[in-house]
Amino acid sequence: MTNMKGFTSKIVHSDRLSEIKHGSLHKPVHATVAYGYDDARDLAAVFQGTQAGFTYGRQVNPTVDALQVKLSAMEGGLGSVCFGTGMAAIGTLLFALLRRGDHFVSSAFLFGNTNSLFMSFASHGLEVTFVDATDASQVAEAIQDNTRLVFVETIANPRTQVAALAEIGTLCRQRGLAYVVDNTMTSPYLFQPSKVGASLVVNSLTKYIGGHGTTLGGAVTETGAFDWRTFPNIYDTYKGADARLWALTQIKKKGLRDFGAALSPEAAHELAIGAETLALRLKRQCANAQAMAEFLDGRSEVRRVYYPGLPQHPEFSRAAGLFRHPGALLSFELDPGIDIWTFMNALKVIIKSSNLGDNRTLAIPVAHTIYHEMGAERRASMGIDDSLIRISLGIEEVEDLLDDLGQALGRST
Ligand SMILES: *Cc1c(COP(=O)(O)O)cnc(C)c1O
């Protein structure tokens, strides 16, 4: 892969560049749980880690491994490990690296289930402080003696706040903290967290990377930026020759192997096919988002639009400096005179659904669905208005989307 520089070139050629039978251009689906060896000494060597090879389907599978290689190339990382879902990737990473009494700092603007997971960790003996991560000084103030890592998302869903990604990277380096970035909303096509000093990158493959709304998956990628010799929680058995891989090894063993949230080879195959068109899809989706944000911004039925590609967005210039495009998700608040249900039910092309990163455009009334469980008080603290609607842009021709919004807004007054 040495002479290929393009993001998409690397993805579409990655399978055939390692050993593959029959000249197959795709890594086949290896539907197997176990692997047989002619010589039992080889079996032992693979288990002891002195020889490369496959042990058991919960830990490793050739089809999943091929996807891991692709993801590492996409993120510019040293290695990756896949999971059955994005949540499994996040939960397993923290479970494997943190211990009772440890503290971590997290962005307060989080994917809802990540927020819920961190609350559970808090009741299991880990301490977490939520801060406004658009401001690195708030992260700095939250750091304690027992702080082990900082966790942020790139563009927050649904209000599209952009974390102070570069400044937090500098802070983590100065303070010797691991820096975990959930890159789901941007994907490695729009942004590589390794460029701002992230140590571990999380992606929900379910969203833009898989891209078709058919398959769940998640991944953690090691960037090599952090010196894990300074991290107190690595078990001696995982301290191999290359200290940059200690955390990933511990996540694979204590996390994936023992917790068991493995990605299936069939899912890995579908996600790998999806990944091939990531750049093409996202380019179109981001252009659609920009056009829709500008359209909504000009409508009297709409009170406020949140999209980092609009000049009035508080992090407009930060997003322009960090990301190839400002994302494919936006949200907006309706004017108080508009009934949210009348408006939403008038939509004909845009589908009323959760999820994001599909090829179809999806809309959801945020406070009443994905943010319902957290209650009115926390919603208010996160700036989630009852009229907030999130839109995940698909790849349709934008005229169809704007016509649909226009007619639905017109019918709701
Ligand atoms: C969807 C999402 C997740 C969780 O991914 P799943 O694959 O649905 O488990 C995590 N983080 C962000 C930012 C997401 O959008």
Side-chain angles (χ1 to χ4, degrees):
M1 244 197 282
T2 45
N3 57 356
M4 273 181 267
K5 293 198 175 60
F7 182 81
T8 297
S9 314
K10 284 188 206 167
I11 299 174
V12 299
H13 289 278
S14 100
D15 288 341
R16 72 179 176 89
L17 296 181
S18 58
E19 191 200 351
I20 198 158
K21 291 229 168 90
H22 317 301
S24 172
L25 297 182
H26 290 271
K27 188 73 175 177
V29 179
H30 288 271
T32 186
V33 169
Y35 309 88
Y37 290 85
D38 289 338
D39 187 331
R41 282 168 297 204
D42 289 334
L43 176 65
V46 168
F47 265 81
Q48 290 167 21
T50 53
Q51 184 177 312
F54 295 93
T55 49
Y56 183 67
R58 185 167 8 84
Q59 296 187 58
V60 68
N61 173 285
T63 311
V64 176
D65 191 47
L67 177 61
Q68 292 173 168
V69 168
K70 238 185 263 283
L71 291 166
S72 298
M74 289 160 73
E75 284 291 1
L78 295 178
S80 300
V81 54
C82 284
F83 296 89
T85 65
M87 286 315 303
I90 297 169
T92 306
L93 183 165
L94 293 180
F95 171 80
L97 294 185
L98 298 180
R99 298 195 193 165
R100 187 182 54 209
D102 285 347
H103 172 255
F104 67 103
V105 182
S106 170
S107 167
F109 310 125
L110 281 182
F111 178 63
N113 300 155
T114 306
N115 177 75
S116 167
L117 175 74
F118 288 0
M119 297 300 211
S120 307
F121 275 141
S123 52
H124 286 259
L126 293 174
E127 235 187 302
V128 51
T129 306
F130 294 103
V131 299
D132 176 351
T134 62
D135 176 3
S137 72
Q138 294 209 23
V139 177
E141 277 166 35
I143 295 172
Q144 311 174 171
D145 288 345
N146 57 342
T147 305
R148 299 282 172 250
L149 59 84
V150 176
F151 184 100
V152 301
E153 296 179 2
T154 52
I155 305 178
N157 154 20
R159 277 278 312 274
T160 73
Q161 297 95 334
V162 180
L165 292 157
E167 296 82 353
I168 297 172
T170 306
L171 176 72
C172 287
R173 190 166 59 244
Q174 286 164 351
R175 305 294 293 269
L177 299 174
Y179 183 22
V180 183
V181 177
D182 181 338
N183 198 27
T184 301
M185 292 291 293
T186 23
S187 91
Y189 177 62
L190 299 187
F191 176 62
Q192 290 181 330
S194 58
K195 302 257 164 72
V196 295
S199 354
L200 294 167
V201 182
V202 172
N203 278 290
S204 165
L205 309 176
T206 316
K207 309 293 172 54
Y208 296 105
I209 292 179
H212 295 68
T214 60
T215 312
L216 291 158
V220 174
T221 300
E222 166 66 62
T223 67
F226 187 70
D227 184 358
W228 294 103
R229 289 172 301 185
T230 65
F231 196 79
N233 296 346
I234 305 290
Y235 294 93
D236 284 341
T237 34
Y238 306 134
K239 294 180 177 171
D242 188 349
R244 297 176 307 167
L245 294 173
W246 289 0
L248 197 67
T249 305
Q250 185 152 311
I251 293 166
K252 282 183 186 168
K253 301 289 183 181
K254 287 290 177 192
L256 179 63
R257 184 196 64 191
D258 295 358
F259 233 75
L263 184 69
S264 77
E266 292 83 0
H269 177 65
E270 286 203 28
L271 294 167
I273 291 175
E276 296 188 351
T277 52
L278 172 62
L280 284 75
R281 288 182 279 106
L282 253 185
K283 193 172 172 204
R284 168 88 156 228
Q285 287 165 307
C286 293
N288 282 355
Q290 184 73 41
M292 186 181 283
E294 288 167 10
F295 173 85
L296 289 168
D297 193 38
R299 294 288 300 215
S300 61
E301 301 91 339
V302 173
R303 183 168 59 184
R304 204 169 284 128
V305 184
Y306 302 100
Y307 182 63
L310 291 180
Q312 69 265 34
H313 189 285
E315 290 94 44
F316 171 76
S317 15
R318 177 180 290 163
L322 290 169
F323 309 141
R324 198 192 288 259
H325 304 292
L329 182 134
L330 61 83
S331 59
F332 62 99
E333 290 163 12
L334 291 167
D335 190 78
I338 309 281
D339 179 64
I340 188 168
W341 309 113
T342 309
F343 165 70
M344 290 209 63
N345 289 341
L347 294 170
K348 297 282 183 294
V349 177
I350 299 171
I351 304 167
K352 295 167 280 288
S353 173
S354 61
N355 197 20
L356 56 95
D358 199 307
N359 284 335
R360 298 143 188 82
T361 297
L362 310 174
I364 190 161
V366 175
H368 311 275
T369 55
I370 48 178
Y371 279 67
H372 176 71
E373 186 182 304
M374 67 173 56
E377 202 178 314
R378 183 135 161 82
R379 275 201 300 274
S381 78
M382 296 177 79
I384 309 290
D385 187 85
D386 279 356
S387 77
L388 189 76
I389 294 169
R390 181 188 81 188
I391 300 209
S392 165
L393 276 294
I395 60 171
E396 301 96 334
E397 281 74 15
V398 74
E399 295 74 23
D400 288 323
L401 301 174
L402 301 189
D403 284 352
D404 195 35
L405 275 181
Q407 64 80 23
L409 287 170
R411 284 197 204 193
S412 316
T413 44

Coordinates of all heavy atoms in Angstrom, one line a residue, residues 28-35 57 61-64 264-266 269:
P28 N -12.6 -12.8 2.0 CA -13.8 -13.6 2.2 C -14.4 -13.6 3.6 O -13.7 -13.2 4.5 CB -13.3 -15.0 1.8 CG -11.9 -14.8 1.3 CD -11.4 -13.5 1.8
V29 N -15.6 -14.0 3.7 CA -16.2 -14.1 5.0 C -15.8 -15.4 5.6 O -16.1 -16.5 5.1 CB -17.8 -14.1 4.9 CG1 -18.4 -14.2 6.3 CG2 -18.2 -12.8 4.3
H30 N -14.9 -15.4 6.6 CA -14.5 -16.6 7.3 C -15.4 -16.9 8.4 O -15.3 -16.5 9.5 CB -13.0 -16.4 7.8 CG -12.0 -16.4 6.7 ND1 -11.4 -17.5 6.2 CD2 -11.5 -15.3 6.0 CE1 -10.5 -17.2 5.3 NE2 -10.6 -15.9 5.1
A31 N -16.5 -17.7 8.0 CA -17.5 -18.1 9.0 C -17.0 -19.2 9.9 O -17.4 -20.4 9.7 CB -18.8 -18.4 8.3
T32 N -16.1 -18.9 10.8 CA -15.6 -20.0 11.7 C -15.3 -19.4 13.1 O -15.0 -18.2 13.2 CB -14.3 -20.6 11.1 OG1 -13.9 -21.7 12.0 CG2 -13.1 -19.6 11.1
V33 N -15.5 -20.2 14.1 CA -15.2 -19.8 15.4 C -13.8 -20.3 15.9 O -13.1 -19.6 16.6 CB -16.3 -20.4 16.4 CG1 -15.9 -20.2 17.9 CG2 -17.6 -19.8 16.1
A34 N -13.4 -21.4 15.4 CA -12.1 -22.0 15.8 C -11.2 -22.2 14.6 O -11.6 -22.2 13.5 CB -12.3 -23.3 16.6
Y35 N -9.9 -22.5 14.9 CA -8.9 -22.6 13.9 C -8.0 -23.9 14.3 O -7.6 -24.0 15.4 CB -8.0 -21.4 13.9 CG -8.8 -20.1 13.8 CD1 -9.3 -19.5 14.9 CD2 -9.2 -19.6 12.5 CE1 -10.1 -18.3 14.8 CE2 -10.0 -18.5 12.4 CZ -10.4 -17.9 13.5 OH -11.2 -16.8 13.4
G57 N -12.8 -17.3 17.9 CA -13.6 -16.3 17.2 C -14.0 -15.1 18.0 O -14.3 -14.0 17.5
N61 N -10.7 -12.9 14.0 CA -11.2 -13.6 12.9 C -10.6 -12.9 11.6 O -10.4 -11.7 11.6 CB -12.7 -13.4 12.8 CG -13.4 -14.0 11.6 OD1 -13.3 -13.4 10.5 ND2 -14.0 -15.1 11.7
P62 N -10.2 -13.7 10.6 CA -9.5 -13.1 9.5 C -10.3 -12.0 8.8 O -9.7 -11.0 8.3 CB -9.3 -14.3 8.5 CG -9.4 -15.5 9.4 CD -10.3 -15.2 10.5
T63 N -11.6 -12.1 8.7 CA -12.4 -11.1 8.0 C -12.5 -9.8 8.9 O -12.4 -8.7 8.4 CB -13.9 -11.6 7.8 OG1 -13.8 -12.9 7.2 CG2 -14.6 -10.7 6.9
V64 N -12.6 -10.0 10.2 CA -12.6 -8.9 11.1 C -11.2 -8.2 11.1 O -11.1 -7.0 11.1 CB -13.0 -9.4 12.5 CG1 -12.9 -8.2 13.5 CG2 -14.4 -10.0 12.5
S264 N -19.1 -9.9 14.3 CA -19.2 -11.1 13.5 C -18.5 -10.9 12.1 O -18.4 -9.8 11.6 CB -20.7 -11.5 13.2 OG -21.2 -10.7 12.2
P265 N -18.0 -12.0 11.5 CA -17.3 -11.9 10.2 C -18.3 -11.4 9.2 O -17.9 -10.6 8.3 CB -16.8 -13.3 9.9 CG -17.5 -14.2 10.9 CD -17.9 -13.4 12.1
E266 N -19.6 -11.8 9.2 CA -20.5 -11.3 8.2 C -20.7 -9.8 8.3 O -20.8 -9.1 7.3 CB -21.9 -12.0 8.5 CG -21.9 -13.5 8.2 CD -21.4 -14.4 9.3 OE1 -21.0 -13.8 10.4 OE2 -21.3 -15.6 9.2
H269 N -17.7 -8.0 7.0 CA -17.7 -7.9 5.5 C -18.6 -6.8 5.0 O -18.2 -6.0 4.1 CB -18.2 -9.3 5.0 CG -18.3 -9.4 3.5 ND1 -17.2 -9.3 2.7 CD2 -19.4 -9.5 2.7 CE1 -17.6 -9.4 1.4 NE2 -18.9 -9.5 1.4

